[in-house]
Amino acid sequence: MTTDESALPLELDRSAVARLGRQAVDFLADWVAELDSAPASDYGQADRPAAELLRPPADGPGDFGALLETFRQAAGQGVNTAGPGYLAYFPAGGLVTAALAELLAQAANRFTGVAQMSPALVAMEHGVLTWFCDRFGLPAGAGGLVTTGGSPATLSALLAARHGRPGDGTLYVTEHTHYCVAKAARIAGLPPERIRVVPATADLRMDVAAAARMIAGDRAAGLHPFLLVATAGTTSSGTVDLLPELGELARREGLWFHVDAAYGGGFQLTERGRTRLAGIEAADSIVLDPHKSLFLPYGTGLLLVRDPAVLHAAHAADGRYLQDLRALDGLPDYGHLGVELTREFRGLRLWLPLHLHGVGAFERELDEKLDLAGHVHRRLAQDPRFEVPWRPDLTVVLFRLRGTDERNRRLLADVNDTRRVYLSSTTVDGRFFLRLCVLSFRTHADRVEEALGIIGTAA
């Protein structure tokens, strides 16, 4: 191996790894330290990307410091989802310790689609999944896999629910169900008319009685109901469906009971969260996005299933070129449980933060976010200028000025133009609402008070 650093070969020696690593970590430390004062959003250059961002790579080596600076400027544009002022959609912040875990995992670059290739690493990931299953009250033997997010997890859950069932079955959602369910159904080949939209009640939850009537009507019409989807924290309002009643309906009717807890699932670590998610233990499958309510980097999802054998039956295939590899007792082959065969060691970004910080650290942060969301709701509800129709189940607060939708659109623009906080919006029953979600571990009472002040002044 050459020692000429100016050539920067792909195979770096120890000193080069250490030098680049120190530069990257120093850059990261400075960047995190500046998050509190950084703008919550900055679109100053978004309409005309700098030439530096578009130029092709050169034949010779570049300067790492200059390349880091290019990244810093690029990351400063758009919405700062890692900062404390991001109160739109589902903030998380992105734990630095999870990013460090990902650095280690990617450097090791182990294949975890088949356990025999990396048995100890698969055991670490399997241990975390088993712990999650236990926290959600699933029985012994439950399992699952770590995915890149809720969408592929939902697809795998739908395929498992459909496996072995006749024909084009019908599945049941509401208008508030995340669209990834309809997308998964389309990918799986189900026609749109098989997706049955159950009415919601005035408090934005699936109407259990209406769902029962629709299932009975479809059976009478010769259709095959197979999947009932409940949501533990809807995208628009953070509402939790009536999980005990829907679980009982699914059991009574012989349907697969799937709970989309992509947003709300992390709150299962708290006492209040377990109370609000009561009934989730009856699920056949649960989707959870740790990159939402467990603060991990984007690209981290979980699928938990009551019976991994059904998941395996829906996904497993026979590849002759893998004939040298054998199944290991007690360890799953993740390539047979989901849509990916080639997959990295995805479990370390969960394993390391949970073991390093301790579960209590996550619980305390989530409890703080529940408290802050309750505070926002009370303050806005006490202001006669605002309509605040729904008490938050978790940490999403919907509100609007009394008046026209256009007035509320202007309010949202004025709030976001301060660049200190960034809110989003949604439409419920044809009306425009501002949407504030407190979820990032970097968001505390000071920024929430500042957000309330900005909203009040803009109003």
Side-chain angles (χ1 to χ4, degrees):
M1 171 179 157
T2 180
T3 58
D4 180 11
E5 288 193 7
S6 65
L8 205 65
L10 298 183
E11 187 178 357
L12 301 176
D13 62 21
R14 188 186 186 286
S15 64
V17 171
R19 175 173 56 83
L20 294 175
R22 282 192 297 270
Q23 281 184 266
V25 171
D26 286 345
F27 170 89
L28 174 62
D30 290 341
W31 184 79
V32 170
E34 294 168 358
L35 281 173
D36 188 64
S37 58
S41 62
D42 186 351
Y43 287 99
Q45 302 294 325
D47 57 340
R48 43 186 176 86
E52 179 69 14
L53 305 178
L54 301 174
R55 70 176 176 86
D59 289 337
D63 179 77
F64 190 46
L67 296 172
L68 284 176
E69 177 59 22
T70 300
F71 168 74
R72 185 189 68 79
Q73 293 181 19
Q77 297 178 25
V79 179
N80 185 2
T81 55
Y86 180 58
L87 303 172
Y89 306 111
F90 289 124
L95 280 172
V96 169
T97 49
L100 294 176
E102 195 64 5
L103 169 65
L104 298 173
Q106 294 294 344
N109 195 34
R110 294 299 180 88
F111 175 89
T112 58
V114 180
Q116 190 184 350
M117 294 286 286
S118 302
L121 297 184
V122 168
M124 293 169 70
E125 190 164 334
H126 181 58
V128 173
L129 285 163
T130 301
W131 176 79
F132 272 107
C133 288
D134 181 66
R135 293 301 293 243
F136 279 93
L138 297 179
L145 73 162
V146 185
T147 71
T148 57
S151 292
T154 299
L155 174 60
S156 289
L158 187 144
L159 293 173
R162 195 185 181 197
H163 181 74
R165 296 176 186 267
D168 289 333
T170 54
L171 61 98
Y172 301 85
V173 300
T174 74
E175 64 177 301
H176 304 295
T177 303
H178 195 278
Y179 73 90
C180 70
V181 176
K183 182 178 180 179
R186 184 168 66 251
I187 294 171
L190 287 173
E193 60 269 20
R194 292 296 184 261
I195 303 172
R196 310 285 278 142
V197 180
V198 180
T201 59
D203 58 359
L204 310 182
R205 308 179 205 280
M206 180 181 282
D207 186 325
V208 180
R213 290 192 296 270
M214 291 177 72
I215 292 168
D218 286 343
R219 286 198 196 281
L223 300 176
H224 303 284
F226 79 100
L227 173 62
L228 179 63
V229 179
T231 305
T234 58
T235 306
S236 281
S237 64
T239 302
V240 179
D241 280 329
L242 299 171
L243 302 181
E245 292 86 343
L246 291 171
E248 171 57 26
L249 173 62
R251 186 200 63 77
R252 190 169 67 243
E253 295 290 342
L255 274 62
W256 183 284
F257 183 42
H258 175 72
V259 179
D260 178 357
Y263 157 52
F267 291 94
Q268 185 74 4
L269 301 189
T270 71
E271 184 176 349
R272 279 177 287 178
R274 288 190 292 275
T275 298
R276 292 170 190 178
L277 271 60
I280 200 169
E281 66 277 1
D284 294 293
S285 56
I286 300 168
V287 164
L288 162 67
D289 274 347
H291 63 223
K292 293 185 174 78
S293 50
L294 287 177
F295 320 124
L296 297 195
Y298 290 125
T300 313
L302 292 182
L303 172 61
L304 309 178
V305 291
R306 178 173 295 272
D307 184 0
V310 180
L311 197 61
H312 183 278
H315 291 85
D318 181 23
R320 290 185 180 179
Y321 76 103
L322 296 176
Q323 64 187 14
D324 298 330
L325 302 177
R326 59 182 176 83
L328 299 181
D329 290 340
L331 290 179
D333 289 333
Y334 293 124
H336 298 320
L337 298 182
V339 298
E340 298 173 296
L341 175 58
T342 301
R343 69 188 298 277
E344 73 272 28
F345 175 36
R346 203 169 285 144
L348 194 64
R349 70 179 75 169
L350 286 155
W351 185 92
L352 183 61
L354 286 167
H355 282 272
L356 180 63
H357 299 287
V359 177
F362 291 86
E363 182 178 1
R364 288 189 294 274
E365 288 288 347
L366 290 167
D367 270 325
E368 181 193 34
K369 307 319 163 201
L370 291 169
D371 290 340
L372 291 173
H375 176 69
V376 170
H377 174 266
R378 286 189 298 273
R379 284 279 299 276
L380 292 173
Q382 291 166 0
D383 191 327
R385 296 174 294 177
F386 294 105
E387 299 178 48
V388 193
W390 302 284
R391 184 182 300 276
D393 281 351
L394 297 169
T395 64
V396 176
V397 181
L398 298 187
F399 65 98
R400 58 178 276 129
L401 280 168
R402 300 185 188 277
T404 65
D405 283 355
E406 181 56 34
R407 188 181 182 203
N408 282 281
R409 290 189 181 93
R410 288 200 305 270
L411 173 62
L412 178 63
D414 289 345
V415 169
N416 288 346
D417 282 348
T418 68
R419 303 203 304 169
R420 286 295 294 167
V421 296
Y422 190 87
L423 310 186
S424 58
S425 68
T426 190
T427 300
V428 179
D429 295 333
R431 305 174 74 213
F432 182 96
F433 282 87
L434 283 78
R435 182 183 175 283
L436 189 156
C437 180
V438 189
L439 195 56
S440 172
F441 68 95
R442 294 190 176 102
T443 302
H444 303 292
D446 57 343
R447 190 59 65 104
V448 167
E449 286 296 339
E450 184 177 357
L452 288 168
I454 290 170
I455 293 167
T457 299

